Amino acid sequence: MSGTAGEQPGTSGNTRLLAVAVLATFVAFLDGSIVTVALPAISADLGGGLPTQQWTVNAYLLTLGAFILLAGSLSDSFGRLRILRIGILGFGTASLACALAWSPGLLIAARAVQGLTAALLVPGSLALITTAYRDAARAAAIGRWTAWTGTAAIIGPLLGGVLVDVGSWRLIFAVNVLPVAVCLLLMTGLQESAGRRTAGFDLPGVVLAVTGLAGSVYALIEQERLGWGHPAIVVPLAAGLAALVVFVLHEARAPSPMMPLSLFRARNFRYGNLVTAGAYAGLSLGTFAVTVFVQEAAGFSATAAGFTALPLPLAMLLLSARMGRLAGTFGPRLFMAAGPVLCAGGFLLMLGVRPPLDFPTELLPGLVLCGLGLAVMVAPLTSAVLGALNEDDAGIGSAVNNAVSRVAGLIAIALAGTVSGGALDFPGFRQTVLVSAVLFLAAGLTAWLGIRNPDTSGRSG
């Protein structure tokens, strides 16, 4: 039997498609986490100091955030496998360029290309799953995708530390060649599904979306270094926000919109993205606070601080597939409401921190509970958001949801200094995790009030 994107669940072709989707997303997520431990070695070798370290990370985030909507539209219009293949080839090439870079400028430029090509991977990967699976099988497949791609958060810092210590920082980029090669091998013989959007290419929408996201994301990244009042922040932020407003107005009138606003008529898509915004803002703010707090206020090493976050991805690895199957059977509403409430409870447990910090009793229980909440929430959330749409719109739907989660996280971290009162000491940490808990509670309430379980036809309203 040939492997196509439209086969029924359970076939070998679908198993291979799921493996492709996991690997393609895994390398994109891995590259976001593996590089942080190598930053001191990179700046020591290439020079450039702190700006080199910042832009080695930020160049990737900037282009990834700016081009992800375009990637989703391209995936739906020109074929998921085609765009995924272009993305994985480009990502592998950019990874080699990073590994061979001999100056900070070349490394940062290659990282920007990496981010652009990574943007082609995530929407197309989820769209493949949405097209290939149906109903409960789709929810279970998304659960497996969530579980395995979540391991990138575990493997990234640990693998990066080993590669830097035993070899060179260049190996953290060169190692991408292996999963890229395996992914391309698995894609051999797979065929596109018949369904595809036939709308024309929305060039004005592309320009407005990229300009709006790039300007806004750049300002959010750089405001911590330059301050909100600096012209280099005010101008791109104002231009970016203006472009996004014009983008929405344009999409409402365009004959062939890149992001049809009709997507938001689907109740679960609309409310699912609101849940995503609240939950990922809370998650980004809370985990950022924990990582900085244990180093600055409790004296943990960077390696020890990295290990503190392990309960979250471990819980997702162990439980996400099961939660996806359960949500496919019973509907996503309860899981999407309960998961954020559990996460909120985890952060509320951390309010009891007192100097000197006792990690096993004051932070670990909250982190475990938060990890459980994420495992309960993430796969049902993704399944509900994408399941609310027609299969032809799965790529742009995934791109919108990913853009919402990333921008929400960026905004939350950008405001961390304001929320904490300027320092993540014990009082500042308690204040920050309280805000994280409130954001999660808002997400859970939104899910309970807004999300509807699919009807017997498998389509949510």
Side-chain angles (χ1 to χ4, degrees), residues 1 22 61 63-64 72 82 115 154 185 192 205-206 209 215 228 234 250 253 259 263 313 329 374 394-395 437 460:
M1 182 177 293
V22 167
L61 295 176
T63 52
L64 177 60
R82 177 182 298 172
I154 304 173
L185 181 63
E192 294 284 0
V206 169
W228 287 109
V234 173
H250 167 78
R253 296 171 173 80
M259 186 186 75
L263 297 178
T329 301
L374 289 176
S460 57

Side-chain angles (χ1 to χ4, degrees), residues 275-366:
V275 174
T276 298
Y280 278 87
L283 178 64
S284 299
L285 180 63
T287 53
F288 173 81
V290 170
T291 304
V292 175
F293 168 72
V294 296
Q295 294 180 78
E296 294 191 350
F300 282 36
S301 68
T303 301
F307 275 99
T308 62
L310 283 182
L312 278 66
L314 280 176
M316 293 182 66
L317 176 63
L318 295 173
L319 299 174
S320 286
R322 178 173 298 178
M323 293 301 167
R325 286 193 295 270
L326 290 173
T329 301
F330 299 105
R333 183 185 182 214
L334 176 62
F335 298 87
M336 288 175 62
V341 171
L342 289 173
C343 291
F347 282 112
L348 290 174
L349 284 178
M350 300 179 199
L351 290 174
V353 295
R354 296 289 184 275
L357 177 68
D358 184 19
F359 178 78
T361 62
E362 294 179 347
L363 286 186
L364 184 59

Side-chain angles (χ1 to χ4, degrees), residues 139-205:
I142 289 176
R144 289 193 291 272
W145 177 89
T146 301
W148 284 107
T149 56
T151 61
I154 304 173
I155 295 173
L158 302 179
L159 176 62
V162 170
L163 292 175
V164 171
D165 288 341
V166 304
S168 164
W169 63 265
R170 299 178 185 276
L171 293 178
I172 70 168
F173 300 113
V175 75
N176 289 334
V177 173
L178 179 59
V180 164
V182 173
C183 189
L184 289 171
L185 181 63
L186 289 173
M187 293 176 76
T188 303
L190 293 178
Q191 301 172 16
E192 294 284 0
S193 60
R196 190 178 301 179
R197 286 172 62 188
T198 57
F201 190 66
D202 180 17
L203 182 58

Side-chain angles (χ1 to χ4, degrees), residues 40-326:
I42 289 172
S43 61
D45 185 18
L46 299 182
L50 182 60
T52 295
Q53 295 185 33
Q54 289 178 310
W55 276 103
T56 298
V57 176
N58 292 346
Y60 184 82
L61 295 176
L62 180 61
T63 52
L64 177 60
F67 285 93
I68 197 165
L69 283 180
L70 171 60
S73 180
L74 292 174
S75 175
D76 287 337
S77 298
F78 298 104
R80 282 80 187 257
L81 286 172
R82 177 182 298 172
I83 297 301
L84 197 67
R85 189 174 284 110
I86 293 171
I88 200 71
L89 282 169
F91 189 87
T93 303
S95 296
L96 287 177
C98 290
L100 297 173
W102 60 84
S103 71
L106 286 174
L107 175 61
I108 291 167
R111 284 285 286 169
V113 176
Q114 257 195 326
L116 190 157
T117 53
L120 300 177
L121 303 180
V122 179
S125 297
L126 275 171
L128 282 177
I129 296 174
T130 302
T131 304
Y133 292 85
R134 302 288 185 274
D135 304 326
R138 174 189 293 166
I142 289 176
R144 289 193 291 272
W145 177 89
T146 301
W148 284 107
T149 56
T151 61
I154 304 173
I155 295 173
L158 302 179
L159 176 62
V162 170
L163 292 175
V164 171
D165 288 341
V166 304
S168 164
W169 63 265
R170 299 178 185 276
L171 293 178
I172 70 168
F173 300 113
V175 75
N176 289 334
V177 173
L178 179 59
V180 164
V182 173
C183 189
L184 289 171
L185 181 63
L186 289 173
M187 293 176 76
T188 303
L190 293 178
Q191 301 172 16
E192 294 284 0
S193 60
R196 190 178 301 179
R197 286 172 62 188
T198 57
F201 190 66
D202 180 17
L203 182 58
V206 169
V207 174
L208 288 168
V210 171
T211 301
L213 288 172
S216 303
V217 171
Y218 172 85
L220 289 170
I221 289 171
E222 284 294 284
Q223 65 79 26
E224 184 178 359
R225 185 170 66 90
L226 299 176
W228 287 109
H230 196 284
I233 301 301
V234 173
V235 173
L237 180 61
L241 292 176
L244 289 176
V245 170
V246 177
F247 169 73
V248 173
L249 296 175
H250 167 78
E251 294 300 284
R253 296 171 173 80
S256 302
M258 180 180 75
M259 186 186 75
L261 298 185
S262 59
L263 297 178
F264 294 92
R265 294 175 190 160
R267 184 185 182 99
N268 278 4
F269 183 80
R270 183 170 67 251
Y271 281 98
N273 278 292
L274 290 175
V275 174
T276 298
Y280 278 87
L283 178 64
S284 299
L285 180 63
T287 53
F288 173 81
V290 170
T291 304
V292 175
F293 168 72
V294 296
Q295 294 180 78
E296 294 191 350
F300 282 36
S301 68
T303 301
F307 275 99
T308 62
L310 283 182
L312 278 66
L314 280 176
M316 293 182 66
L317 176 63
L318 295 173
L319 299 174
S320 286
R322 178 173 298 178
M323 293 301 167
R325 286 193 295 270
L326 290 173

